[in-house]
């Protein structure tokens, strides 16, 4: 599984490398040639935004519940598992396949919610101006 910081770093790197060719000019960060000092300031600001977002996401929790409602998984905003709760009824069934399926369903739901929450948080913070986010 890819951690949130790796995911954000990938997006950050992808958009930093985004170069639009227009005729013979190379346009990067909104202007031909671009001011290197301004580019460095923008990169520093984006790194700061990423760190702030990671701190805020770490405090969020996302709960996924299996379809049979007998198992739940809690992930934090950095996609780290915080807990698994299994109802005794599920354990009493002694059905390994059902247990595995329940874990998978709950984890998948929690992960989807965490990813959506991370995307929403990124938008709420204004994305990354100048990079189309």
């Amino acid at each position: 599984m890819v951690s949130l910081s790796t995911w954000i770093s990938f997006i950050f790197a992808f958009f930093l490398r985004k170069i639009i060719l227009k005729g013979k000019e190379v346009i990067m960060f909104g202007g031909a040639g671009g001011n290197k000092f301004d580019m460095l300031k923008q990169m520093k600001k984006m790194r700061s935004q990423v760190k702030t977002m990671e701190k805020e996401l770490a405090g969020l929790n996302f709960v996924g519940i299996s379809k049979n409602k007998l198992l739940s998984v809690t992930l934090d905003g950095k996609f780290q598992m915080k807990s698994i709760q299994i109802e005794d009824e599920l354990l009493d069934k002694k059905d390994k396949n059902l247990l595995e399926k329940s874990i998978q369903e709950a984890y998948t739901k929690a992960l989807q919610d965490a990813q959506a929450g991370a995307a929403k948080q990124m938008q709420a913070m204004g994305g990354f101006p100048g990079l189309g986010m």
Side-chain angles (χ1 to χ4, degrees):
M1 181 175 78
V2 177
S3 71
L4 177 62
S5 58
T6 302
W7 182 67
I8 292 171
S9 295
F10 171 76
I11 292 170
F12 180 73
F14 175 79
F15 283 101
L16 281 180
R17 290 184 178 93
K18 185 178 178 182
I19 296 173
I20 302 169
L21 297 175
K22 188 174 184 179
K24 292 185 179 184
E25 290 182 34
V26 175
I27 299 174
M28 187 171 183
F29 294 102
N35 181 330
K36 290 181 183 181
F37 181 70
D38 288 338
M39 285 174 35
L40 290 174
K41 280 177 41 180
Q42 188 173 3
M43 288 172 53
K44 185 176 180 180
K45 181 179 176 183
M46 286 188 293
R47 280 191 199 115
S48 175
Q49 282 181 298
V50 168
K51 286 181 182 181
T52 301
M53 185 172 54
E54 284 181 328
K55 286 178 186 175
E56 289 182 16
L57 286 172
L60 300 176
N61 288 316
F62 300 91
V63 179
I65 300 172
S66 64
K67 290 179 185 175
N68 59 22
K69 299 188 181 5
L70 298 176
L71 188 138
S72 67
V73 171
T74 303
L75 300 180
D76 67 14
K78 293 178 82 175
F79 308 154
Q80 300 299 308
M81 189 177 300
K82 293 297 180 185
S83 69
I84 296 178
Q85 296 174 335
I86 304 171
E87 296 294 328
D88 290 336
E89 181 183 338
L90 182 58
L91 294 175
D92 292 344
K93 292 182 180 189
K94 296 182 182 180
D95 184 343
K96 180 182 173 191
N97 290 333
L98 180 60
L99 178 61
E100 290 171 347
K101 184 177 179 182
S102 297
I103 292 170
Q104 184 180 24
E105 290 170 355
Y107 178 80
T108 299
K109 176 68 172 125
L111 182 60
Q112 289 170 345
D113 289 352
Q115 289 170 336
K120 187 176 180 179
Q121 186 71 24
M122 189 181 297
Q123 288 175 340
M125 290 184 68
F128 295 110
L131 298 179
M133 296 184 71

